Amino acid sequence: MSLLVVGTLAYDTVETPSGKAEEVLGGAATYFSYAASFFGPVRLMSVIGADFRPEDRELLAGRGVDLGGLHVEPEGRTFRWAGRYEGDMNVAETLDTQLNVFADYAPKVPEPFADSRYVFLANSPPAMQAHVLDQVSDDAFTVMDTMNLWIDIAREELDAVLQRVDLLIINDQEARMLAGESSLIKAGRAILEQGPNAVIVKKGEHGAFLFSREFFYAIPAYPVETVVDPTGAGDSFAGGLMGYLASEDRVDEASLRAAMLYGSVVASFNVQDFSLGRFKEIERAQIDERFQEMLRFTAHP
Ligand code: AMP
């Protein structure tokens, strides 16, 4: 399997009802690659500054994440994000975003990564996502994330990149915004018309929908009593989903259904602590246990 992710490595400062974590390792590509590493090797492309801590680099490398596409800007500062969650743990309030080295990042896919069969374009400017698509194989299974910011300020570029990917993974609010529809079902179907072959709409603690031209699938979220920090849940979902697909090396209805459950289960671990705290405590066997539980929760006699 060859799974590539392009996105942020970051230091996050996060406040939730459970407490505060300052300058902890985060970033979309971090969560994605750690989540996917439970299933197999991952290739990572990102940019960091001189302030990126060596132990964080080692943490990812130790998980089998190939850092051959990690660019270091010796004069630069790593991406920073600060956010807060209150009451509704599904919605982050962004307090601060500092793009820093990410502002001028022009991702160049290294030659050994160009044959990647599975590609995840984490949340980043749509033009940057398009630039990566230009450099990978046309046969790759391509998946993208996006956010309200790009729907607002880069709609044309976003529409263009949507037409080039196989799967879009977004949250419910963004799906409504992108489609201009308040019904999530209408929104999912309308986005399919905009280009991707499939759309996954995440609904936080309420699970997720998958829309494709062939089938519709819905899953609940794994029931977690205390969500400590939801940061990275979306990227962990995508990492679990794509890690599983790449490990099976097959994308069809059956593998996509199982991958949705794996994505959801991996995200359920991520939200149980700040940063990668919970991921560091678990192994693949615990993911498989929760996967089986999910099957039992939705089975009928
Ligand atoms: P998620 O909670 O899965 O949507 O992703 C949270 C992660 O995305 C955090 O660790 C942030 O560092 C990172 N992030 C926040 N804002 C942005 C942005 N504008 N572009 C790229 N990454 C971001």
Side-chain angles (χ1 to χ4, degrees), residues 59-77:
L59 178 75
L60 294 174
R63 292 294 309 175
V65 179
D66 184 338
L67 301 176
L70 184 57
H71 182 71
V72 185
E73 281 289 343
E75 306 292 315
R77 192 172 142 83

Side-chain angles (χ1 to χ4, degrees), residues 7-12 14 24-31 79-82 85 92 94 96-97 99 102 122-125 145-147 149-150 171 174 202 230-237 270:
T8 46
L9 297 193
Y11 287 125
D12 292 344
V14 185
V24 291
L25 179 60
T30 304
Y31 284 111
F79 181 94
R80 294 288 193 289
W81 178 76
Y85 301 83
T94 292
D96 188 30
T97 302
L99 294 176
F102 207 67
N123 178 23
S124 42
D145 182 16
T146 192
M147 71 185 294
L149 175 69
W150 312 121
N171 70 33
E174 292 156 354
K202 296 164 295 170
T231 308
D235 303 301
S236 301
F237 175 93
N270 173 62

Side-chain angles (χ1 to χ4, degrees), residues 92-199:
E93 183 194 345
T94 292
L95 302 174
D96 188 30
T97 302
Q98 297 171 21
L99 294 176
N100 300 331
V101 290
F102 207 67
D104 297 316
Y105 181 43
K108 168 96 188 66
V109 178
E111 210 276 317
F113 288 5
D115 65 351
S116 299
R117 307 290 304 164
Y118 296 83
V119 177
F120 182 62
L121 309 167
N123 178 23
S124 42
M128 194 185 285
Q129 294 175 316
H131 184 57
V132 175
L133 285 179
D134 291 341
Q135 302 171 64
V136 296
S137 161
D138 285 343
D139 304 332
F141 180 72
T142 53
V143 182
M144 68 178 279
D145 182 16
T146 192
M147 71 185 294
N148 46 12
L149 175 69
W150 312 121
I151 301 174
D152 270 337
I153 70 165
R155 187 60 200 253
E156 249 176 62
E157 290 98 323
L158 179 60
D159 285 343
V161 74
L162 270 178
Q163 294 188 8
R164 299 178 61 191
V165 294
D166 293 298
L167 170 65
L168 169 72
I169 305 183
I170 50 171
N171 70 33
D172 43 6
Q173 281 187 325
E174 292 156 354
R176 290 191 172 99
M177 206 175 147
L178 189 58
E181 286 283 358
S182 55
S183 150
L184 263 194
I185 305 298
K186 277 190 186 165
R189 293 190 174 139
I191 296 168
L192 268 188
E193 297 305 313
Q194 295 174 31
N197 295 326
V199 180

Side-chain angles (χ1 to χ4, degrees), residues 17-99:
S18 299
K20 185 169 180 180
E22 289 186 60
E23 292 272 306
V24 291
L25 179 60
T30 304
Y31 284 111
F32 179 93
S33 54
Y34 205 113
S37 75
F38 290 107
F39 300 86
V42 184
R43 298 166 166 179
L44 182 144
M45 284 177 59
S46 190
V47 60
I48 52 174
D51 58 340
F52 198 76
R53 298 183 286 250
E55 63 265 33
D56 292 333
R57 215 184 154 119
E58 281 150 29
L59 178 75
L60 294 174
R63 292 294 309 175
V65 179
D66 184 338
L67 301 176
L70 184 57
H71 182 71
V72 185
E73 281 289 343
E75 306 292 315
R77 192 172 142 83
T78 301
F79 181 94
R80 294 288 193 289
W81 178 76
R84 181 166 53 201
Y85 301 83
E86 279 171 352
D88 184 350
M89 297 293 272
N90 295 323
V91 185
E93 183 194 345
T94 292
L95 302 174
D96 188 30
T97 302
Q98 297 171 21
L99 294 176

